[in-house]
Amino acid sequence: MITVEAIAKALEKENIKLVGGRKKADREISYITSLELTEKTSRIKENGFVLSTFHAFKDVEQIIAHLEWLIDEIKISAIGFHTASMKAIPQEVIEFANANALALFEIPEDIPYYMIFEKFNWLMNEKENEQLAAIYKLNEKLIESVLLEKDLNSIVKVIGEHINNIVCVLDPYFEPIAFWKKKDQTRSQIKYLIELIINKNKENVLKVRFTSREATITVKDEMAAAAHFKVFPLFSNMTFLGYMLICQEGIRDKYSEEVIKNGIRALSLAAHNKNTLLNYQKRKDIKLFERIFQGDAAEISVSDFYIDLKKVTCIFQVQSYSPNSLQSQLQMFSELFIENHSNSRIWIYNKKIVGVIETACEKEKMTNILSDFPDARIGVSSIEKSAEIKKLQKMYEQSALALTHCHVQNKQLVFWEQIGIEKMAYHIQPNSLFDRLDEEILDPLISYDREKSANLTETLYVYLKYFFNLQKSSSELFVHPNTIKYRMQKINELLQIDIQNPTHYSMLMLAYSLYHYKQRKDD
């Protein structure tokens, strides 16, 4: 920025003196132009240094009226009064300049305008060279922070100190991981500001991620004026690393934009290095988990893991009938359980999403995800206080059976604790000794239904399900209770067992569980 004071020092060497309006010597001069006619032209802009001989003005009153317009409406920074037409600046003009803090330069009649333009351009070049040197040093600091593997705060500090405004870095789950604030701001204020941005502009922030384009958002608090923030995505090799938020108040020059651009590169590289380490740790843990799931846990100890197994509470599996959406679902679950900031591992294994997680599965949150993916099914293991290695395979198998129960019962979400005797049916079905248990017990009913187009198989299941209650059974089957009685006589005749005997009752329910499982499996 070129100030009135800076250009006054340069022009003084050419005998061009500042004769009025010295009070605002720190005011910016962004350009120089000349004005000789009395018209109020739109080419004159704010912060200008206007040169004129005023030869076209009929008197001092007209000059002062024009200066009033230049100050009040245009807000120029300085006037260069050339004495080629008038041998001296009128005293009224000097008094007006002093009263309105308008920098007034007296230009001798033998000094051409181009000399003033050259001085200004020289100052601009000098200032630009200084700023370029400063940018170069800042870039060196940014590169040094990455090479020395300093934390992200060191990079954010370089950016914040240059632009002198709030800079925040959030992870993909909107958690702050680095920020820079002004001295008069507190940590709690920054935290509140981030919460305000996410709560009121979450969709716009997410668009930055999925469109890979920066965006400007406005934050309005009841207690403060509106603030404008620019949100930048942080990527590395197509991997999304997080967001950078920068308050835009007072940021205009191209040098600040250059610092921000280089800062984004440095943050992305530093975050990528950290992410590479996290990915290595995750891959190693996943390999160990998969060995355990396959029954190969003999040589694996708790110390082999990067995550703390003592904090793991359950395992879930997600199956989708639309393979294309599996990756999207993985992303959703990773965000739900904030994988990178919790004791959890979530990945795709055997065409299913597997989650070994620290926090207990929250039914409401999972249901919200399933509303976006109606073709997905989730099976959740038992909830343990801590997961030892010997428990992990059992928990994995529990989640697999819970997923099977989803399929059989046409449900989207099933917890291990919600499954009844079906647990036994799903477990024994692969065993050749029991794989035809349902047929051995229910075949008389199935054959009769096939031959007579009857409905005895379903009638017995409903009757057992409602613990021999005729009214509830008839309501579900839409028949008269006497019809149920007649059918039950036929069923007893065909099966020749006492269905009210606890052992026979349990065997029948187990057979039905196996029967329904096979039916759904064949669909």
Side-chain angles (χ1 to χ4, degrees):
M1 183 178 78
I2 307 300
T3 62
V4 169
E5 183 179 18
I7 202 162
K9 286 180 181 178
L11 294 179
E12 193 173 14
K13 297 174 183 177
E14 306 300 329
N15 201 30
I16 299 172
K17 297 178 181 178
L18 181 63
V19 296
R22 291 184 175 87
K23 287 182 181 178
K24 291 189 177 180
D26 61 342
R27 188 163 182 177
E28 178 187 3
I29 294 177
S30 56
Y31 70 97
I32 295 182
T33 189
S34 61
L35 180 150
E36 296 299 340
L37 301 178
T38 59
E39 65 177 340
K40 295 178 179 179
T41 174
S42 60
R43 69 182 176 84
I44 308 296
K45 305 294 181 185
E46 186 179 358
N47 296 332
F49 182 7
V50 179
L51 312 178
S52 181
T53 62
F54 294 100
H55 75 278
F57 292 75
K58 62 183 180 180
D59 51 33
V60 172
E61 286 74 16
Q62 190 178 13
I63 293 173
I64 290 175
H66 208 73
L67 291 178
E68 285 176 342
W69 170 73
L70 288 170
I71 293 172
D72 296 338
E73 295 189 32
I74 306 301
K75 295 180 174 52
I76 64 167
S77 299
I79 282 286
F81 199 116
H82 201 289
T83 56
S85 179
M86 299 182 193
K87 299 304 177 185
I89 301 175
Q91 187 60 34
E92 296 92 330
V93 173
I94 295 174
E95 290 173 0
F96 175 84
N98 286 329
N100 291 276
L102 173 65
L104 176 64
F105 290 88
E106 184 176 23
I107 306 170
E109 59 180 330
D110 60 336
I111 301 289
Y113 283 162
Y114 77 81
M115 186 178 290
I116 299 170
F117 279 94
E118 284 180 353
K119 286 288 180 183
F120 181 76
N121 289 335
W122 178 81
L123 282 174
M124 287 290 286
N125 289 334
E126 185 180 51
K127 196 72 178 177
E128 186 163 349
N129 288 336
E130 288 176 4
Q131 288 177 313
L132 287 173
I135 296 297
Y136 181 77
K137 287 182 179 178
L138 286 173
N139 287 341
E140 281 190 330
K141 279 188 179 180
L142 293 170
I143 293 168
E144 181 184 85
S145 297
V146 175
L147 293 177
L148 295 178
E149 296 184 352
K150 294 182 179 180
D151 64 13
L152 299 184
N153 276 303
S154 61
I155 298 173
V156 169
K157 183 182 177 183
V158 173
I159 303 169
E161 286 181 344
H162 177 80
I163 66 174
N164 194 33
N165 226 323
I166 298 169
V167 181
C168 299
V169 176
L170 310 181
D171 70 9
Y173 316 105
F174 309 119
E175 291 292 320
I177 50 179
F179 66 85
W180 186 89
K181 62 181 180 62
K182 294 181 180 179
K183 289 182 179 179
D184 60 344
Q185 294 168 324
T186 64
R187 286 176 173 269
S188 58
Q189 285 176 326
I190 299 299
K191 186 179 178 182
Y192 171 74
L193 187 61
I194 293 170
E195 289 175 355
L196 197 64
I197 290 171
I198 301 307
N199 290 339
K200 295 191 175 182
N201 296 273
K202 190 172 183 179
E203 280 191 22
N204 291 330
V205 175
L206 282 171
K207 281 181 184 176
V208 170
R209 172 179 183 172
F210 294 114
T211 62
S212 303
R213 294 179 182 175
E214 63 191 57
T216 301
I217 58 175
T218 301
V219 181
K220 182 71 174 74
D221 184 21
E222 294 177 0
M223 306 297 292
H228 305 285
F229 281 80
K230 187 160 276 190
V231 185
F232 301 87
L234 301 176
F235 278 94
S236 179
N237 296 331
M238 301 304 290
T239 300
F240 181 69
L241 305 170
Y243 309 88
M244 180 170 74
L245 281 65
I246 294 182
C247 185
Q248 290 294 288
E249 310 309 316
I251 299 176
R252 296 180 186 174
D253 62 279
K254 62 182 180 180
Y255 303 105
S256 292
E257 291 178 4
E258 186 68 20
V259 170
I260 291 168
K261 189 189 300 181
N262 291 331
I264 289 172
R265 291 196 193 103
L267 284 168
S268 295
L269 187 56
H272 172 73
N273 292 342
K274 183 180 179 183
N275 207 48
T276 300
L277 176 61
L278 291 174
N279 283 335
Y280 167 77
Q281 294 172 345
K282 178 179 177 178
R283 284 195 300 271
K284 185 176 178 185
D285 282 350
I286 286 171
K287 285 181 180 178
L288 293 172
F289 282 125
E290 290 178 358
R291 281 178 57 191
I292 292 170
F293 297 163
Q294 293 162 12
D296 180 20
E299 298 179 2
I300 299 175
S301 68
V302 173
S303 61
D304 292 334
F305 288 88
Y306 283 98
I307 66 170
D308 186 354
L309 285 186
K310 291 179 182 178
K311 293 182 179 179
V312 170
T313 60
C314 74
I315 294 176
F316 70 83
Q317 292 190 52
V318 183
Q319 186 172 33
S320 176
Y321 298 105
S322 175
N324 294 333
S325 65
L326 202 60
Q327 200 64 43
S328 302
Q329 292 168 21
L330 177 65
Q331 184 65 45
M332 294 279 279
F333 279 102
S334 295
E335 290 182 11
L336 175 64
F337 295 104
I338 316 180
E339 184 188 9
N340 288 343
H341 291 273
S342 67
N343 223 51
S344 303
R345 292 286 183 252
I346 301 172
W347 74 102
I348 294 175
Y349 175 58
N350 287 343
K351 299 181 181 178
K352 299 181 185 73
I353 295 171
V354 175
V356 180
I357 60 174
E358 175 181 3
T359 49
C361 292
E362 297 181 42
K363 189 173 182 179
E364 186 178 345
K365 287 183 178 180
M366 285 198 162
T367 303
N368 289 337
I369 291 181
L370 288 169
S371 64
D372 294 328
F373 300 100
D375 64 331
R377 303 286 183 268
I378 304 176
V380 186
S381 74
S382 59
I383 309 300
E384 303 286 345
K385 290 182 180 179
S386 66
E388 304 165 10
I389 287 178
K390 62 182 180 181
K391 287 183 181 178
L392 289 170
Q393 185 180 11
K394 182 186 79 172
M395 291 164 69
Y396 176 75
E397 290 172 353
Q398 287 175 344
S399 65
L401 286 182
L403 199 57
T404 298
H405 196 65
C406 283
H407 181 68
V408 173
Q409 299 294 326
N410 198 26
K411 294 181 178 180
Q412 278 197 285
L413 176 62
V414 170
F415 289 78
W416 173 253
E417 289 81 2
Q418 296 173 326
I419 312 172
I421 198 170
E422 293 89 353
K423 292 174 182 175
M424 293 296 298
Y426 305 148
H427 185 70
I428 66 173
Q429 196 276 330
N431 190 315
S432 60
L433 191 63
F434 301 105
D435 65 342
R436 299 190 63 190
L437 179 68
D438 56 325
E439 296 174 37
E440 292 173 11
I441 296 175
L442 300 176
D443 188 61
L445 303 183
I446 296 169
S447 299
Y448 185 87
D449 287 344
R450 192 182 301 119
E451 291 173 12
K452 306 290 186 179
S453 298
N455 197 21
L456 299 185
T457 309
E458 186 183 6
T459 300
L460 177 58
Y461 174 70
V462 173
Y463 190 62
L464 295 173
K465 184 173 74 171
Y466 288 116
F467 301 104
F468 320 116
N469 188 305
L470 283 172
Q471 196 62 46
K472 289 182 179 179
S473 300
S474 62
S475 294
E476 179 163 326
L477 294 171
F478 300 103
V479 296
H480 194 276
N482 287 337
T483 304
I484 300 294
K485 284 183 179 180
Y486 168 76
R487 289 180 182 176
M488 287 309 303
Q489 289 175 358
K490 191 65 181 175
I491 288 168
N492 287 324
E493 179 186 323
L494 291 169
L495 292 182
Q496 296 184 347
I497 59 173
D498 180 6
I499 63 173
Q500 295 195 18
N501 179 293
T503 301
H504 296 162
Y505 181 92
S506 300
M507 287 298 291
L508 282 166
M509 291 306 291
L510 184 59
Y512 269 112
S513 296
L514 201 55
Y515 174 71
H516 291 148
Y517 170 58
K518 288 181 180 179
Q519 281 188 316
R520 292 293 296 177
K521 191 178 179 182
D522 294 336
D523 287 349

